[in-house]
Amino acid sequence: MIGNKEMLKNATNKSKKITALIQDGFIAFTGAGISFSYPSSIPTSETIKRIIWQELDSHLIDDQDLRTRINNRINFLLPQIKLETMFEVFLRRGVTDIFDSLLVFNQSNPNLDHYLFGLLCKLGYLRAIFTLNFDRLHEKALEAFHLPYTSFLKDVDYKPETKISECIGTPVFHLHNGFLPDDNETSHLNAATSLVRTNLPYEKASIFASYLKKYPILCAGYSNNDLDTFNYLSKYSKKILWYSHYSEDIEPLPPDVTVVKNVLGGNFIQIIRGEQYHNEQTFNDVLINRIPELQIYKKNLIALVNPFGINSLEDKEKIIREKIHEKIRSSVHAIILIADLLDLITERELALELIKKYDLLRLNLDNELVESTASILTHIYDRMGQPKLALKYSKLSIVRASGDEKLANMINYASALLGAWKKEAYRV
């Protein structure tokens, strides 16, 4: 059993390694956990997923047994389903402005974690920020320190001719894109959907990889299983400082992260909230406790916190809930969204049962709803090894989408030649 002196020695050595890593220059990689604390109070993806599912589920009222079975599967799989996947279902089924439901994020203020990153920029330690968050709270924190920065908020910002060396101030790379300042247009956030893009576009990937090769990376508030960024972390990182919100028994490192930890050995430093100091509440507490040189700035950071605006987590959840409710046009639309979600998470038998139960191809539906249902059936039957039925519904979805029987036959033939393998086979 390790004695108190040995524990203190290990903690001191870890603090020295963390201090050295930070002061030698590093990059940050942040996720939703950074923006959760007061007064930012932005709901996590788990909360938003739950809000979306509760709204969809409220339309499942005709068959309690089927509803129970669907809920059992969704509730079991929900932690594994990415928020972007749920948004993609809306995008695929005609709700192209689904990200408008998150505009409340723009009314949030930075918290101490954001200000700590701003301080580290001011001290010259932090060379770039990479974030998965849509919000611009990192930028607001930099503004509070009167520091210049360059935001990368849309895919076009990463165009090949962009020269990072010519950027003004600290570059803030929103890898899933971000809200534009003073603009409610959110269509560029569609780039975040997980099945539309399972790898970063080349321009984003090359920038991310180039920084990973050059600097150690601090991962904080990170979702641990992000689909299109973790492979770059695991492939190119030389040194990682990994922040965990909870102890190992509550939040064990995911298998992929454990592999990286084993490969990097001493170059993978994990810091856990409360492992040394029990009064730690947020990321800034943890880092300041481990880097004594930062403690003199704590009061200055607290003075920057602005408590005004929509601060309540509950208020923001309510606004998101209302916006999601507005996006669902009818109960039939909700059932189609649920069927598509079940298909995407490979619960296809339940999806078929749902479509048949609600008779989603009845003639009084408008073309868009019939086309959506037929395209879901196309994918389900293709994945279930029934190409004739897949082609039948592919043709139906084409006719309802275009109204052109000749075009339908042409694309139906092309789909047959290609094996109807695409999710949206009628668009081949």
Side-chain angles (χ1 to χ4, degrees):
M1 187 173 180
I2 300 177
N4 289 336
K5 288 186 178 180
E6 188 66 22
M7 290 177 63
L8 181 60
K9 181 180 178 182
N10 290 340
T12 302
N13 288 338
K14 179 183 278 192
S15 291
K16 287 180 178 179
K17 291 177 71 174
I18 294 170
T19 301
L21 184 148
I22 295 293
Q23 293 182 343
D24 287 345
F26 74 104
I27 61 174
F29 186 45
T30 67
I34 289 299
S35 297
F36 178 75
S37 301
Y38 178 87
S40 304
S41 304
I42 291 179
T44 65
S45 60
E46 293 303 311
T47 299
I48 298 172
K49 286 191 297 183
R50 184 66 58 186
I51 288 171
I52 292 172
W53 175 245
Q54 287 172 349
E55 180 57 38
L56 291 173
D57 173 58
S58 68
H59 297 273
L60 282 172
I61 56 177
D62 289 350
D63 188 321
Q64 191 57 47
D65 175 65
L66 179 59
R67 181 181 191 180
T68 298
R69 286 186 285 124
I70 289 174
N71 263 285
N72 286 343
R73 292 308 297 159
I74 292 293
N75 289 328
F76 176 74
L77 294 170
L78 200 61
Q80 304 167 42
I81 301 171
K82 291 181 65 60
L83 175 61
E84 292 87 351
T85 300
M86 301 192 80
F87 280 148
E88 183 180 345
V89 169
F90 281 85
L91 292 170
R92 284 157 54 97
R93 301 303 149 210
V95 186
T96 56
D97 58 352
I98 182 62
F99 286 99
D100 290 0
S101 61
L102 303 183
L103 279 171
V104 68
F105 290 4
N106 268 354
Q107 301 177 49
S108 300
N109 292 317
N111 59 43
L112 284 172
D113 293 345
H114 300 108
Y115 289 126
L116 177 60
F117 284 113
L119 172 64
L120 292 169
C121 287
K122 187 177 181 66
L123 295 174
Y125 301 148
L126 181 52
R127 307 303 170 81
I129 298 172
F130 291 85
T131 184
L132 302 179
N133 298 341
F134 302 138
D135 64 64
R136 295 183 66 257
L137 296 182
H138 281 303
E139 286 90 335
K140 290 182 179 180
L142 291 170
E143 289 170 3
F145 283 97
H146 306 289
L147 295 174
Y149 62 84
T150 300
S151 292
F152 292 74
L153 299 166
K154 302 177 73 171
D155 283 349
V156 69
D157 296 336
Y158 295 85
K159 55 187 180 295
E161 60 268 26
T162 299
K163 295 182 179 179
I164 304 302
S165 60
E166 297 178 3
C167 290
I168 299 173
T170 302
V172 184
F173 300 101
H174 293 260
L175 293 177
H176 287 173
N177 296 352
F179 288 119
L180 303 173
D182 305 318
D183 193 337
N184 288 338
E185 206 285 314
T186 61
S187 63
H188 63 286
L189 296 178
N190 294 354
T193 54
S194 62
L195 295 175
V196 168
R197 187 192 71 211
T198 55
N199 288 287
L200 290 177
Y202 173 77
E203 290 81 8
K204 290 183 179 180
S206 60
I207 292 172
F208 193 28
S210 67
Y211 273 94
L212 288 171
K213 292 175 183 177
K214 189 174 182 181
Y215 297 106
I217 185 166
L218 184 160
C219 301
Y222 177 49
S223 63
N224 290 340
N225 64 348
D226 187 65
L227 186 66
D228 61 1
T229 54
F230 184 77
N231 57 324
Y232 302 102
L233 274 172
S234 62
K235 185 175 182 180
Y236 297 110
S237 296
K238 301 297 188 295
K239 289 184 178 181
I240 295 178
L241 179 57
W242 190 278
Y243 169 66
S244 294
H245 296 273
Y246 304 102
S247 61
E248 284 280 6
D249 56 328
I250 299 175
E251 183 188 35
L253 285 177
D256 289 346
V257 182
T258 301
V259 170
V260 175
K261 178 180 180 180
N262 292 337
V263 170
L264 291 181
N267 286 324
F268 185 100
I269 308 170
Q270 184 182 8
I271 52 176
I272 303 172
R273 179 163 59 89
E275 65 179 334
Q276 291 178 227
Y277 306 89
H278 297 297
N279 65 335
E280 294 172 343
Q281 299 296 319
T282 58
F283 168 72
N284 75 90
D285 292 330
V286 176
L287 204 61
I288 287 176
N289 279 341
R290 284 153 184 75
I291 305 179
E293 291 85 343
L294 296 179
Q295 292 175 3
I296 60 173
Y297 299 102
K298 182 77 175 191
K299 289 184 179 179
N300 293 338
L301 295 183
I302 293 174
L304 290 171
V305 173
N306 178 4
F308 299 103
I310 300 179
N311 294 319
S312 166
L313 189 64
E314 291 75 17
D315 286 346
K316 288 175 183 170
E317 290 176 9
K318 180 181 178 181
I319 291 170
I320 293 172
R321 192 181 305 277
E322 291 172 349
K323 292 296 182 181
I324 294 294
H325 178 79
E326 293 172 6
K327 302 300 180 184
I328 300 174
R329 298 191 294 272
S330 65
S331 289
V332 171
H333 189 214
I335 300 303
I336 290 173
L337 290 166
I338 294 171
D340 201 15
L341 177 60
L342 289 169
D343 175 29
L344 287 181
I345 62 175
T346 69
E347 294 291 332
R348 297 191 175 104
E349 289 80 5
L350 277 175
L352 281 174
E353 189 175 349
L354 185 64
I355 290 171
K356 291 175 182 177
K357 171 65 184 178
Y358 286 86
D359 192 17
L360 292 184
L361 287 177
R362 58 185 183 267
L363 296 177
N364 64 332
L365 292 183
D366 62 39
N367 278 347
E368 182 182 341
L369 295 178
V370 172
E371 182 262 342
S372 282
T373 304
S375 69
I376 295 169
L377 289 169
T378 298
H379 185 234
I380 289 175
Y381 282 120
D382 176 48
R383 289 299 189 266
M384 295 179 74
Q386 300 185 50
K388 289 185 178 179
L389 283 173
L391 291 171
K392 169 187 173 181
Y393 289 109
S394 176
K395 183 176 180 179
L396 174 61
S397 62
I398 296 163
V399 171
R400 286 300 182 125
S402 66
D404 188 332
E405 180 71 21
K406 184 177 180 181
L407 176 63
N409 286 331
M410 291 172 60
I411 301 179
N412 191 42
Y413 177 68
S415 296
L417 292 178
L418 292 171
W421 60 270
K422 296 196 74 174
K423 292 185 181 69
E424 306 286 352
Y426 62 92
R427 290 179 183 165
V428 173

